[in-house]
Amino acid sequence: MRELTESLVDKAVQLGASYAEVRVQEVESSSITVENEELRTFGRSGLAGVGVRVMVDQAVGLTASTVLNPTHLGTQVEMAVKAAKAVRTMGEPVTFAAAKPMQRAVRSPAIKSPECLSDAEKIALVMDANKAAKLPGVKNRMTTLGWFLDRRLFTSSEGAAVSIETGMTGLAHTSVASSRGRMESVGDSRSQCSGFEFILDTDWGRFTEEISQRSLQAAAARAPTPGAYEVVADADLIGIILHEAFGHAAEADLVTTQESVLAGRRGEPVASPLVSIVDAGVVAGGYYLPFDDEGVAKRRQVIVEDGVLQRFLHTRETAHKMGVPPSGNARAQDFGRKPIVRQTNLFMERGDQSLDELVEAVDDGLYVCGKGAVGGEVDVALGSFTFRAGPSYTIKKGELGEMVRGVSISGRILDTLHRVAAVGKDVAIRTSVFGGCGKNGQRVRVGYGGPPVRIESLLVGGGG
Amino acid sequence: MSLDVLALCEYGVTVGEERGASEVEAYGVLDEARRMEFTSTSTSATAAVATGLGIRVALGKRLGFYATSHLTKAEVRTAVERALAIAKVAQPDPAWESFPTTYGKASVEGVFDTTIPRLAVETMAEKARELIEGPPSFDRRTRITRGAITAGVGRVAISNSYGCALERQSTTASASVTVKAEAGGRTGESSEAEQRRGWTAIDFAALYHTASARAIRMMDAKPIESGETTIVWRNEVFASIVGIMLGGTLTADAIQKQRSPWIGKRGEQIAAEHLSVRDDGVKTAGLGTSAFDDEGWPQQDTPLIHHGVLVNYLYDHYTARQEDRASTGNAGRSYRSIPTPSATNLTLNPGDATLEELLGDTKRGLYIHEVIGDWLSNPISGTLNATVTNADLIEAGQLSHAVKGVMVSADFFAIIKDEATLLADDVENAGSTYAPSVKTPKAMVIGR
């Protein structure tokens, strides 16, 4: 494979590229889905392809193909050069910030391979987890076991050669319950960048049964009255808030175009002094990203320290524009897409309060929970974000009250982080084998998390 | 590029039969796409080729599936063996009957634009330049912050061990822009997008004109107080909502597996009499239009809610056989997944009012142009939530000022049941879902 990538890089240089990189990727994915104790699907898939990015006269052209034929790929390199030439007078000339060409081969930690269980044993494991969720009133139970091995090789005309092998596995479950004619769906998942030891060491029956119980309670619960509330966001949810409410705005491609509300605010307070935010490539519970898709090492970086914005997340292109070193945040969905600025594992650092202390301080508010949360979306220019939490609880005079369902939350990025009034001490960081974060039509896996926090005011929807 | 995907599908079927499968189906794709991505500071162009083949095998009632992106005969043989290995350990599906034993094609128009396969990257670059340079020429306070143009050709081949084989090809083109307006410390932003089957069907100038005009208006946006109010939903926004709230739950799969609120409601009045929803798989130039679905069944125009009465669900071959019916031609899939019932061109039929009439008859309300997070709504409970990023306050039938930073929350099931919900005549699409602008009398707006 190295011979092929080197020949493609050489060809691009011969055709006039001042820089060329080749990304080769192979992914083997598998999933088993059981629905209402019937095997619904057991599928496997293999994806392999080559992506080439070239720079000609400071313009960028890309090409990608799943046809792994050297002659065809040579033609694709010609296409990339042609594409770069077609756009060379558009926009500003592109320059990459200097990065040390790395030569490394790394892999995520794994003790047991997926083959430690036979296919029949894997089906039985999913079936057992699905059975455990069977409770009266639960109409539908769907359980999926997923795992993959993703191998990426990055080579460039600067001499970089970085290979990363990431293995990941996880289990997702959704229960749909009905109560007095109203249906409610609650889903959750747990994943880890590891071998199958994570699957073997987790009590999945307990996990799915709890989701069913929650779906039953949620179906019978009322929706909160829409309005502005003081909230305690649990550790599961704070990661989503942070990812949407802050992380995207810290991505430098949105800063250099002046789209982000954080543009021009480096060195300024953007959050309560209680808030410190970190982006790190390798962290317990998160996704495994020791190098980005430009071959740049991703280290732990403090983005916000004691409420003050310290730095943004960068590709080599945005780093050059802002005159800083690249941060290792260039990520592409796959070999076929252009690396763009993305978060890796973005999380809030711990504070000093217990969950009880956070709740006790709220007179009339909500304890907003992540279990069953669907996700979120942000408009970085307006500074608005929104997400749907899982079934949550009212807080009355410092005590948890009834469950409420259908909780959607909306806020303004800067307002929300300034309104963090207290930070908990128990940090949880998550990632997922089942999905990721979308941006510019590309989906990548991320890690997210933090401690529970108390926020003075958030808009809560939930009518209907 | 030249690659006989159908021949590889037929080869996969033959190999599967030789290796002892009682039934085999192969589904292959070849996509060629070009993409221009640009921001106010940089532009890049991509040319991509993507191939893939999914093999389904049956050993009696045991099923296995394997998909690969690598289309060579050797890889197809490996794929068949891996699918068979899965089938051998899978539990039998007692409901399994067979793959479709016949294929068929509907007559469709407007799904292939001969311009697109010949489209030069330089032509796309020129259009990108037009989008970049357009806003400042429209109004010097505006500039583009980002955008994209795509054009692609997709080919699908499918065959199975009943001697069936079909091929189809289609094209898509899209363009999107985000425009920022800035003056005197005030800023406004707006995004517009179009997705069509044909390259010339995209109105590039209209995209940046609309986005620029709205971005300028948004510079003076104000928050509004919380409360219950009338909403006029722009057609593209409501189309997206219809897709989210009905697209998945009206499938026979969701009904049979007890995860739909519409279980047992066939024949019941679930919406106001003037509301009709159908899935028009043969709509001219529809983004979900194909001559046949992803199992080789002819696509069709299927009424789902007719004058408020739930009359049908969306079926693929498997779910149709569970109820002794014929498929409605709604098998949808990628090569990496097995087919499931999926909407093609889900369509809320238009009414006969104009958008101007809907707005003009509104004493006080919100005209919503753009939202984020509507996909976070819950189609099972009917709870609709979205954050409004671009809207106008309507007062005495006139747009009084722009509004931003509010949430809107409503019960979608109540909206479609309400006789006071009014439909305009201006159908537009969000992806492959089509709807007119809609006026709904009651929704909760949560402001600052």
Side-chain angles (χ1 to χ4, degrees):
Chain A
M1 190 54 79
R2 284 291 294 278
E3 278 178 23
L4 173 67
T5 62
E6 282 167 12
S7 73
L8 296 175
V9 166
D10 289 346
K11 174 152 192 172
V13 172
Q14 283 161 17
L15 290 169
S18 57
Y19 170 83
E21 68 189 26
V22 176
R23 287 179 290 130
V24 182
Q25 188 181 13
E26 287 179 84
V27 189
E28 192 73 25
S29 316
S30 304
S31 70
I32 297 170
T33 298
V34 169
E35 187 168 18
N36 296 344
E37 293 171 52
E38 287 177 7
L39 178 66
R40 185 178 169 84
T41 58
F42 184 167
R44 289 204 162 115
S45 66
L47 171 71
V50 174
V52 178
R53 178 166 69 161
V54 302
M55 201 181 314
V56 180
D57 296 339
Q58 292 187 284
V60 174
L62 298 98
T63 186
S65 185
T66 54
V67 179
L68 306 177
N69 166 315
T71 310
H72 165 75
L73 291 172
T75 310
Q76 291 296 109
V77 171
E78 291 167 16
M79 284 290 296
V81 171
K82 190 178 171 193
K85 287 178 177 171
V87 298
R88 65 182 151 187
T89 57
M90 295 167 61
E92 295 171 10
V94 175
T95 305
F96 288 163
K100 185 181 172 192
M102 306 295 288
Q103 285 154 351
R104 292 283 301 276
V106 293
R107 60 174 61 184
S108 59
I111 298 168
K112 293 190 174 169
S113 89
E115 284 69 45
C116 72
L117 290 182
S118 69
D119 286 343
E121 287 170 329
K122 290 187 185 95
I123 294 170
L125 184 147
V126 187
M127 192 66 74
D128 287 346
N130 190 263
K131 273 182 192 161
K134 186 174 186 176
L135 297 176
V138 174
K139 301 292 184 187
N140 180 277
R141 293 158 283 139
M142 196 185 303
T143 313
T144 300
L145 174 68
W147 67 101
F148 71 76
L149 185 64
D150 182 347
R151 295 190 185 95
R152 296 184 183 215
L153 169 65
F154 174 90
T155 54
S156 77
S157 55
E158 294 172 342
V162 175
S163 76
I164 307 178
E165 190 174 299
T166 306
M168 194 177 191
T169 182
L171 188 136
H173 178 84
T174 300
S175 288
V176 180
S178 174
S179 174
R180 297 193 294 273
R182 178 169 279 282
M183 298 180 81
E184 189 65 53
S185 163
V186 176
D188 199 11
S189 68
R190 290 289 177 269
S191 301
Q192 199 162 288
C193 281
S194 72
F196 247 54
E197 62 276 10
F198 173 65
I199 297 299
L200 296 172
D201 295 345
T202 306
D203 183 348
W204 296 111
R206 191 170 159 194
F207 174 73
T208 61
E209 185 186 353
E210 198 188 331
I211 293 170
S212 274
Q213 284 167 347
R214 238 174 149 73
S215 70
L216 284 164
Q217 291 167 347
R222 67 174 179 90
T225 307
Y229 287 87
E230 183 167 15
V231 305
V232 174
D234 76 359
D236 275 355
L237 196 67
I238 192 64
I240 305 175
I241 297 180
L242 211 58
H243 176 95
E244 297 296 345
F246 176 81
H248 282 297
E251 293 164 353
D253 51 343
L254 303 168
V255 175
T256 56
T257 55
Q258 301 294 310
E259 287 174 274
S260 168
V261 291
L262 295 179
R265 292 182 186 265
R266 195 164 53 175
E268 291 182 13
V270 294
S272 148
L274 299 169
V275 173
S276 290
I277 300 168
V278 168
D279 188 66
V282 180
V283 58
Y287 195 62
Y288 181 70
L289 289 156
F291 294 91
D292 72 2
D293 287 314
E294 290 182 330
V296 175
K298 175 63 207 180
R299 300 201 169 84
R300 184 181 195 278
Q301 282 152 329
V302 178
I303 309 301
V304 171
E305 189 165 22
D306 302 332
V308 177
L309 181 62
Q310 304 293 322
R311 55 176 58 83
F312 297 109
L313 308 175
H314 287 284
T315 59
R316 291 181 65 183
E317 182 181 346
T318 65
H320 173 78
K321 280 192 167 73
M322 296 186 72
V324 297
S327 66
N329 287 87
R331 301 187 58 198
Q333 172 177 288
D334 55 43
F335 61 89
R337 301 301 300 268
K338 172 186 173 181
I340 56 174
V341 187
R342 301 304 299 261
Q343 300 164 59
T344 62
N345 298 289
L346 189 97
F347 57 95
M348 190 184 290
E349 297 217 90
R350 70 194 295 266
D352 59 1
Q353 297 216 345
S354 68
L355 180 60
D356 286 346
E357 287 170 322
L358 294 171
V359 170
E360 277 166 15
V362 178
D363 186 51
D364 182 11
L366 290 174
Y367 176 47
V368 195
C369 301
K371 193 181 279 290
V374 177
E377 188 173 351
V378 66
D379 182 324
V380 291
L382 291 175
S384 297
F385 68 90
T386 186
F387 60 88
R388 189 169 119 205
S392 299
Y393 297 88
T394 59
I395 304 174
K396 299 284 182 198
K397 299 195 186 308
E399 292 196 357
L400 291 182
E402 63 174 320
M403 180 185 273
V404 286
R405 64 171 173 81
V407 176
S408 279
I409 282 186
S410 178
R412 304 295 291 270
I413 292 168
L414 297 176
D415 294 352
T416 301
L417 289 179
H418 277 299
R419 286 175 181 163
V420 170
V423 177
K425 58 187 173 188
D426 298 316
V427 173
I429 294 171
R430 292 272 165 77
T431 183
S432 176
V433 72
F434 299 103
C437 169
K439 176 180 170 183
N440 296 2
Q442 297 195 47
R443 193 156 282 278
V444 298
R445 291 186 172 84
V446 293
Y448 51 88
V453 301
R454 179 160 61 82
I455 302 169
E456 282 171 347
S457 178
L458 268 182
L459 290 187
V460 174
Chain B
M1 70 167 295
S2 165
L3 181 68
D4 192 341
V5 182
L6 182 60
L8 278 168
C9 287
E10 289 175 326
Y11 177 71
V13 170
T14 303
V15 171
E17 288 172 329
E18 286 170 2
R19 305 281 158 95
S22 47
E23 292 178 277
V24 192
E25 179 203 68
Y27 174 92
V29 299
L30 167 60
D31 293 324
E32 291 179 85
R34 289 193 180 145
R35 187 183 313 114
M36 292 273 160
E37 293 172 275
F38 42 93
T39 69
S40 53
T41 58
S42 76
T43 305
S44 66
T46 306
V49 176
T51 54
L53 191 134
I55 290 268
R56 277 201 292 172
V57 299
L59 289 171
K61 289 178 180 289
R62 296 172 187 269
L63 299 165
F65 176 73
Y66 187 84
T68 178
S69 63
H70 193 185
L71 297 197
T72 62
K73 282 191 168 181
E75 182 67 14
V76 170
R77 286 196 298 276
T78 303
V80 170
E81 279 159 14
R82 290 183 177 176
L84 279 166
I86 289 172
K88 282 174 187 161
V89 299
Q91 292 167 323
D93 177 353
W96 179 257
E97 288 192 5
S98 71
F99 294 125
T101 54
T102 59
Y103 282 0
K105 288 167 86 164
S107 172
V108 295
E109 290 178 0
V111 296
F112 192 85
D113 176 1
T114 54
T115 315
I116 289 178
R118 292 181 278 111
L119 199 60
V121 67
E122 289 82 4
T123 308
M124 293 181 71
E126 274 313 303
K127 283 295 176 189
R129 191 187 306 278
E130 185 184 330
L131 287 181
I132 293 166
E133 293 173 356
S137 64
F138 175 81
D139 188 300
R140 59 185 171 73
R141 292 172 294 176
T142 63
R143 64 182 172 84
I144 197 150
T145 51
R146 64 182 53 245
I149 297 176
T150 69
V153 181
R155 297 179 185 86
V156 169
I158 180 167
S159 74
N160 72 19
S161 47
Y162 294 97
C164 304
L166 281 176
E167 265 186 304
R168 65 172 193 239
Q169 60 178 354
S170 59
T171 53
T172 51
S174 73
S176 61
V177 292
T178 300
V179 173
K180 188 167 188 175
E182 215 162 4
R186 297 165 303 141
T187 62
E189 193 193 52
S190 177
S191 298
E192 278 291 300
E194 257 188 54
Q195 195 181 1
R196 301 283 183 254
R197 285 295 194 182
W199 174 249
T200 52
I202 305 250
D203 188 343
F204 291 91
L207 275 179
Y208 68 75
H209 282 165
T210 307
S212 299
R214 199 176 290 138
I216 290 166
R217 197 167 164 77
M218 285 302 289
M219 289 197 300
D220 298 316
K222 300 170 194 166
I224 55 168
E225 293 300 310
S226 301
E228 206 167 68
T229 189
T230 297
I231 304 282
V232 177
W233 308 82
R234 180 190 179 197
N235 44 20
E236 288 171 33
V237 173
F238 207 76
S240 171
I241 289 168
V242 167
I244 292 157
M245 301 309 276
L246 295 176
T249 52
L250 283 175
T251 65
D253 185 46
I255 299 295
Q256 291 171 5
K257 298 295 185 185
Q258 303 275 308
R259 52 180 145 78
S260 167
W262 311 117
I263 297 162
K265 303 222 166 149
R266 196 197 292 258
E268 284 187 22
Q269 190 87 33
I270 64 160
E273 206 175 326
H274 64 290
L275 254 78
S276 292
V277 175
R278 64 189 214 273
D279 185 62
D280 186 357
V282 292
K283 178 186 177 71
T284 298
L287 284 165
T289 298
S290 285
F292 57 91
D293 74 1
D294 289 334
E295 285 180 317
W297 200 265
Q299 289 197 181
Q300 64 182 46
D301 186 358
T302 306
L304 296 169
I305 302 170
H306 188 61
H307 294 305
V309 177
L310 179 60
V311 292
N312 210 349
Y313 304 118
L314 302 171
Y315 291 87
D316 61 359
H317 180 72
Y318 178 86
T319 53
R321 295 314 305 148
Q322 308 310 302
E323 298 177 28
D324 205 19
R325 296 169 183 272
S327 168
T328 53
N330 285 94
R333 64 184 296 183
S334 77
Y335 80 88
R336 299 181 76 180
S337 63
I338 63 168
T340 53
S342 312
T344 59
N345 299 302
L346 189 68
T347 305
L348 172 63
N349 284 356
D352 49 16
T354 63
L355 172 62
E356 290 67 32
E357 285 166 348
L358 293 194
L359 295 168
D361 290 344
T362 304
K363 279 186 191 162
R364 192 170 197 282
L366 203 59
Y367 177 29
I368 296 179
H369 308 290
E370 296 173 35
V371 299
I372 59 169
D374 53 343
W375 59 276
L376 300 167
S377 298
N378 187 336
I380 292 180
S381 68
T383 303
L384 166 62
N385 279 303
T387 292
V388 179
T389 52
N390 201 313
D392 274 294
L393 184 68
I394 314 165
E395 287 180 307
Q398 302 289 320
L399 303 184
S400 64
H401 66 78
V403 173
K404 65 180 174 184
V406 299
M407 270 186 97
V408 60
S409 193
D411 180 345
F412 180 79
F413 299 161
I415 283 179
I416 60 171
K417 262 196 159 171
D418 196 330
E419 291 295 332
T421 293
L422 299 178
L423 309 176
D425 57 0
D426 58 344
V427 171
E428 259 300 343
N429 68 304
S432 62
T433 307
Y434 294 76
S437 297
V438 172
K439 178 173 166 178
T440 60
K442 275 193 301 186
M444 181 61 80
V445 169
I446 308 116
R448 265 52 335 249

